[in-house]
Amino acid sequence: MCYPTPSELALAARALADEHPGPVRLRRAGTSRGGRPLWLLCVEPSGRPRGAGVLVVAGAHANEPVGGATALALARRVLHEPALRAGRGWYFLLCADPDGAALHRTPRPRSLLDYHRNFFRPPGPEQPEWAPSLLPPDRLPPETLALTALIDELRPALQVSLHGTDLGGSWVQLTRDIPGLAEPFAKSAAELRIPVETGASDAAGWPSPGPGIFVMPQAGADPNGAFHPEDTRLSTWYHAHRYAGTTAIVEVPMWASDLVDDPAPHPDPRGALRILAGRLAADAALVARVRERSAGAWEPAADPGPAPGPYAGAGSDAGSGAGSDAEAAALLRAVDWTLALIPRITVEWTGAGAPAEATAAAISSIDAFARRLSLRAAAMLLRVLRAQGHPAAPGLDRLVTGWCEEFAARFRARRIPVATQVEHQSRTVLATYERLVAEGLDGARGPDRLGEPDGTVSA
């Protein structure tokens, strides 16, 4: 099994809708900056509507392709288990960023190096879920506007965003606590031999009601961890709160490492963070020097704006490299964004606010986070230089290769089959929904609470 492309997802969804024309519909929920469709697969409620539905968002991060496969698997399961859709619809946004997905081209990566050969992750302002925390409302990209319009229309009791990580473990982030979720989540992870990431760097300092379960900051709390410039409370994850909804972000790894599930206290967290900060700064400086030497060709616009779009005409579902000006500009914007984050991160890791106590798992998660930042910047820059035939490309290629090998060796990485990733993510989504309903947090208020989508179109 490999990761499906947006086109493959649309074809599979259309086939499902054709096979089940009553309960299943496929509609176009919007259009990307590059002119690609945003497809919504709708599995309508069985019986009389009696509560708010579920919105599942896949592909919000271009480099995390498992979500589309999980969305399709969930749609099929919901369709064939009437109890799951009794009175409630399930709606699947198959790929929230198809332009980004067209630039990240690793459908079946055999190694971390293979994964990074055609890596792409857009800068924060170009990511559909994060854009509202970084841009004013009049500059939001169409993908973000389409997603928030769906939330306004559907008013979901539960929004689930499907994410993945290159190497580490699995964890869940919630905008509100869902009691009892930790047990089925941990059970699934154990059965499938996926470590639970108990100290996820994405959720540093957030409340954790159970291993691998993290609750995001609420009003009046510090919105940021030590690693992100975004305010989570302004993301599309919190948009569902306007309708008493809850959002869950479900992360699964492509490669697993048991180091992120080690609860033992770390002997010297501050000392470890100083070492990691020093290494991150040094690695970033290596990439920055190559970036400076290669400046001049295919430079990104200083302010691409929300339209007509930085990806117009860029790429397709297949291919490699950075063979157009639009592709190279998108890659270089992402390189520059990533490098610009690093000085702030190293300052926080070495400042007075650095934690005096932490688990070995938390430090390992931060170690992995630091490695992937500089590696991602180098990998995306390499794509541009290779396409140019730039003389710096071979040296940067050796650097990327070495960093990938060191990353895998340090964390004793073991590959998680795509089918296993999908199974764990699906189980976690269903457990989240079931616990939400069991706790009476599903907002069941009759048919007026559930928006009825229309405008079905053919793929």
Side-chain angles (χ1 to χ4, degrees), residues 68-94:
T70 300
L72 279 179
L74 278 168
R76 294 187 180 106
R77 183 162 179 179
V78 168
L79 177 64
H80 292 106
E81 295 186 23
L84 290 173
R85 59 187 181 93
R88 302 173 194 276
W90 287 68
Y91 307 97
F92 302 88
L93 185 61
L94 297 177

Side-chain angles (χ1 to χ4, degrees), residues 113 117 375 382 396-406:
L113 178 59
R117 280 296 182 202
L375 175 55
L382 177 59
L396 188 58
D397 196 346
R398 289 191 293 272
L399 188 66
V400 168
T401 300
W403 281 351
C404 286
E405 292 173 349
E406 291 171 8

Side-chain angles (χ1 to χ4, degrees), residues 95-172:
C95 184
D97 184 11
D99 295 345
L103 283 176
H104 179 83
R105 300 166 184 155
T106 52
R108 188 177 289 171
R110 298 176 299 275
S111 65
L112 277 176
L113 178 59
D114 195 26
Y115 171 70
H116 284 92
R117 280 296 182 202
N118 291 293
F119 180 92
F120 177 68
R121 181 185 176 101
E126 297 175 29
Q127 296 175 15
E129 293 179 328
W130 281 120
S133 71
L134 296 164
L135 294 174
D138 62 344
R139 294 187 59 234
L140 292 176
E143 298 89 343
T144 298
L145 297 177
L147 177 52
T148 54
L150 276 178
I151 297 170
D152 290 338
E153 174 189 347
L154 299 172
R155 303 186 176 196
L158 176 65
Q159 176 186 209
V160 181
S161 187
L162 303 173
H163 286 255
T165 186
D166 47 15
L167 191 157
S170 179
W171 72 97
V172 179

